């Protein structure tokens, strides 16, 4: 009986821990412009627009493909001008707004945050 209760509580703890991880990373990134800023100001070369479920664009209208892993929250630019650039998606508690944080070559977070600018449409240039 005690072992059953312990297993039950451990399974509840596991579900709670994994659901908070997935809540932080999901849902997939919405269509929009993500403008990147750091301590020194804007990083225009890293600004990107999510056009649909697989395509991104840059400020100069170049496109490429991306993949998004909802379990880890990692957005990876697969090809195109930002090929191999990765971002970590963060959703702040009590908010539905997501911010991407640029990762370096080792997978560590850089100083650059890329919030979505909901006033701009990635399909209409210039941004």
């Amino acid at each position: 009986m005690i072992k059953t209760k312990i297993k039950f509580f451990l399974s509840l703890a596991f579900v709670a821990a994994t659901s908070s991880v997935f809540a932080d990373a999901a849902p997939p990134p919405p269509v929009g412009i993500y403008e990147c800023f750091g301590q020194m100001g804007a990083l225009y070369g890293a600004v990107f627009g999510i056009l649909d479920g697989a395509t991104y664009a840059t400020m100069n209208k170049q496109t490429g493909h991306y993949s998004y892993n909802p379990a880890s929250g990692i957005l990876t630019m697969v090809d195109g001008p930002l090929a191999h650039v990765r971002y970590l998606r963060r959703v702040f508690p009590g908010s539905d707004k997501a911010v991407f944080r640029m990762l370096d070559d080792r997978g560590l977070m850089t100083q650059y945050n890329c919030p979505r600018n909901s006033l701009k449409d990635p399909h209409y240039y210039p941004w």
Side-chain angles (χ1 to χ4, degrees):
M1 173 99 162
I2 293 175
K3 286 183 180 180
T4 304
K5 286 183 180 181
I6 291 172
K7 286 181 183 179
F8 175 74
F9 287 116
L10 287 175
S11 65
L12 284 179
F14 175 76
V15 168
T18 55
S19 65
S20 67
V21 169
F22 289 109
D24 192 49
V31 169
I33 306 289
Y34 292 84
E35 298 174 328
C36 301
F37 301 93
Q39 294 175 351
M40 302 300 286
L43 182 63
Y44 294 108
V47 172
F48 61 94
I50 298 289
L51 301 177
D52 57 37
T55 310
Y56 75 91
T58 62
M59 291 177 63
N60 57 1
K61 301 182 182 182
Q62 294 178 312
T63 60
H65 297 94
Y66 72 88
S67 67
Y68 178 68
N69 181 332
S72 66
I74 301 288
L75 176 76
T76 303
M77 303 311 191
V78 178
D79 57 20
L82 297 177
H84 310 295
V85 176
R86 296 182 305 155
Y87 302 86
L88 174 64
R89 185 169 188 220
R90 304 292 299 161
V91 179
F92 297 102
S95 172
D96 60 349
K97 297 185 188 270
V99 173
F100 281 103
R101 185 82 179 256
M102 184 184 281
L103 302 176
D104 67 13
D105 293 339
R106 297 173 294 162
L108 301 174
M109 287 189 287
T110 67
Q111 66 171 327
Y112 296 104
N113 287 303
C114 307
R116 183 172 156 257
N117 184 335
S118 60
L119 301 176
K120 296 181 179 179
D121 185 331
H123 299 98
Y124 298 100
Y125 291 91
W127 298 343

